[in-house]
Amino acid sequence: MSEPFLESRIMYQCVKCGRIFEREKLSKIAETQCPFCGYMVIKKAKSPTAKLMKTSELGKDSSASFFES
Protein backbone atom coordinates (compact mmCIF):
# COMPACT_ATOMS: atom_id res chain seq x y z
CA MET A 1 0.00 0.00 0.00
CA SER A 2 1.39 3.42 -0.91
CA GLU A 3 2.04 6.00 1.76
CA PRO A 4 -0.10 9.17 1.74
CA PHE A 5 3.05 11.33 1.84
CA LEU A 6 4.34 9.94 -1.45
CA GLU A 7 0.93 10.25 -3.07
CA SER A 8 0.64 13.93 -2.09
CA ARG A 9 4.04 14.74 -3.65
CA ILE A 10 2.78 14.12 -7.17
CA MET A 11 3.09 17.42 -9.00
CA TYR A 12 0.83 18.59 -11.83
CA GLN A 13 1.25 21.39 -14.38
CA CYS A 14 -1.41 23.39 -16.21
CA VAL A 15 -1.04 23.27 -19.99
CA LYS A 16 -2.28 26.85 -20.42
CA CYS A 17 -0.71 28.92 -17.62
CA GLY A 18 2.22 26.58 -16.84
CA ARG A 19 1.82 26.75 -13.07
CA ILE A 20 2.93 23.70 -11.08
CA PHE A 21 0.89 22.54 -8.10
CA GLU A 22 0.42 19.54 -5.83
CA ARG A 23 -2.38 17.03 -5.92
CA GLU A 24 -3.86 18.58 -2.78
CA LYS A 25 -4.77 21.73 -4.75
CA LEU A 26 -7.11 19.74 -7.01
CA SER A 27 -10.72 19.72 -5.93
CA LYS A 28 -12.68 16.49 -5.75
CA ILE A 29 -15.32 17.90 -8.12
CA ALA A 30 -13.00 19.05 -10.91
CA GLU A 31 -9.91 16.84 -10.74
CA THR A 32 -8.70 17.93 -14.18
CA GLN A 33 -9.13 21.69 -13.75
CA CYS A 34 -6.28 24.08 -12.94
CA PRO A 35 -6.92 25.73 -9.54
CA PHE A 36 -5.32 29.00 -10.74
CA CYS A 37 -6.73 29.74 -14.22
CA GLY A 38 -9.54 27.17 -14.50
CA TYR A 39 -8.24 25.55 -17.70
CA MET A 40 -9.48 21.98 -18.06
CA VAL A 41 -6.21 20.31 -19.19
CA ILE A 42 -3.42 19.42 -16.75
CA LYS A 43 -0.48 17.01 -16.94
CA LYS A 44 1.93 15.47 -14.50
CA ALA A 45 4.99 17.68 -14.07
CA LYS A 46 8.44 16.22 -14.62
CA SER A 47 10.59 15.57 -11.60
CA PRO A 48 13.29 18.18 -10.95
CA THR A 49 15.79 15.39 -10.20
CA ALA A 50 17.62 13.60 -12.98
CA LYS A 51 17.70 9.84 -13.48
CA LEU A 52 21.05 8.14 -13.90
CA MET A 53 21.06 5.55 -16.67
CA LYS A 54 23.83 3.12 -17.55
CA THR A 55 24.97 3.51 -21.14
CA SER A 56 25.59 0.68 -23.52
CA GLU A 57 29.15 -0.50 -24.00
CA LEU A 58 28.45 -1.80 -27.51
CA GLY A 59 30.57 0.89 -29.19
CA LYS A 60 33.59 -0.05 -27.09
CA ASP A 61 33.58 -3.62 -28.39
CA SER A 62 36.20 -4.00 -31.14
CA SER A 63 34.46 -7.08 -32.60
CA ALA A 64 31.40 -5.01 -33.61
CA SER A 65 32.24 -4.44 -37.28
CA PHE A 66 28.91 -2.88 -38.24
CA PHE A 67 30.15 0.54 -37.05
CA GLU A 68 32.90 0.54 -39.68
CA SER A 69 32.20 1.69 -43.21
Side-chain angles (χ1 to χ4, degrees):
M1 213 154 135
S2 65
E3 295 181 26
F5 176 74
L6 295 175
E7 199 170 301
S8 67
R9 296 298 302 164
I10 298 173
M11 303 299 283
Y12 292 93
Q13 183 176 15
C14 177
V15 175
K16 185 177 181 181
C17 70
R19 287 183 145 174
I20 298 174
F21 51 91
E22 291 183 358
R23 186 178 192 161
E24 296 168 349
K25 293 274 187 184
L26 296 174
S27 69
K28 297 291 181 187
I29 299 168
E31 290 186 352
T32 59
Q33 186 174 6
C34 174
F36 300 103
C37 70
Y39 196 65
M40 297 297 286
V41 180
I42 59 172
K43 64 179 182 176
K44 281 190 177 178
K46 292 185 179 180
S47 173
T49 59
K51 292 182 182 177
L52 180 63
M53 299 178 73
K54 184 177 178 180
T55 59
S56 172
E57 295 183 14
L58 181 63
K60 295 180 183 178
D61 189 9
S62 62
S63 66
S65 62
F66 58 88
F67 286 116
E68 298 174 4
S69 51

